[in-house]
Amino acid sequence: MWPTDHHADETAPDTVPHSPPSADVPGLLVSQARSGHAEALESLFTLTRTDVTRFIAGRVTSEWVEDLTQETFSRALRGLPRFAGRSSVRSWLFSVARYTVADRYRLQARTPGRSPSLLWRTRAPSRRTAGSTSTWPCGPCWISSFPTGGVPSS
């Protein structure tokens, strides 16, 4: 049984003084945001922003992280009416982020004068691989582009 404040019951009989904690806070916030509660939408984005930013940061160069995080939440806002709830809100946001990242790479590949191979810049190692022993003979390896002359011959 949930604790109740009996004094609150006397002053406001139409309100529930304490509600049970919800296991699906993001889902509740989505429901409220769909009903037009701006505070719920802001809370949803605040609650999930760090996870979405980390998800994106593991997939793109550091210059793109903030821009793609903003774009992800912009797309999520536009897609909120279509969110069917068949997955968790967090999974849905990661899916939106994944498509946002893929679209950025597609856009960059179509940009005149840029080769798709130049998009994969050398990145700093993530916390997962930093200092770890790799099974690759070269140790931790990162993809980088070849010079304009092409692949070196052996």
Side-chain angles (χ1 to χ4, degrees):
M1 173 162 235
W2 297 104
T4 58
D5 183 0
H6 296 291
H7 297 290
D9 288 338
E10 295 170 5
T11 57
D14 295 333
T15 61
V16 177
H18 296 283
S19 58
S22 174
D24 187 22
V25 172
L28 180 63
L29 292 172
V30 165
S31 298
Q32 292 174 348
R34 283 181 172 168
S35 301
H37 291 83
E39 298 85 15
L41 185 64
E42 184 177 338
S43 295
L44 174 66
F45 289 169
T46 301
L47 182 66
T48 57
R49 182 177 178 79
T50 301
D51 290 336
V52 170
T53 301
R54 285 181 185 155
F55 180 87
I56 292 170
R59 287 153 178 79
V60 299
T61 61
S62 59
E63 299 96 34
W64 289 0
V65 173
E66 184 60 32
D67 184 40
L68 292 178
T69 300
Q70 291 292 328
E71 178 64 21
T72 296
F73 283 110
S74 175
R75 289 180 180 195
L77 178 61
R78 290 189 309 266
L80 196 57
R82 294 185 306 274
F83 175 64
R86 290 186 301 263
S87 66
S88 71
V89 174
R90 189 170 179 265
S91 295
W92 173 65
L93 285 171
F94 287 161
S95 179
V96 173
R98 186 179 70 241
Y99 283 107
T100 302
V101 167
D103 287 348
R104 173 61 63 97
Y105 279 117
R106 279 188 215 106
L107 176 66
Q108 286 296 108
R110 289 191 311 254
T111 303
R114 291 199 75 162
S115 167
S117 65
L118 297 177
L119 297 175
W120 301 97
R121 295 183 184 177
T122 303
R123 292 187 347 178
S126 68
R127 282 187 267 160
R128 290 186 306 245
T129 60
S132 66
T133 307
S134 173
T135 57
W136 291 88
C138 62
C141 298
W142 295 276
I143 299 172
S144 60
S145 61
F146 285 107
T148 311
V151 178
S153 58
S154 347

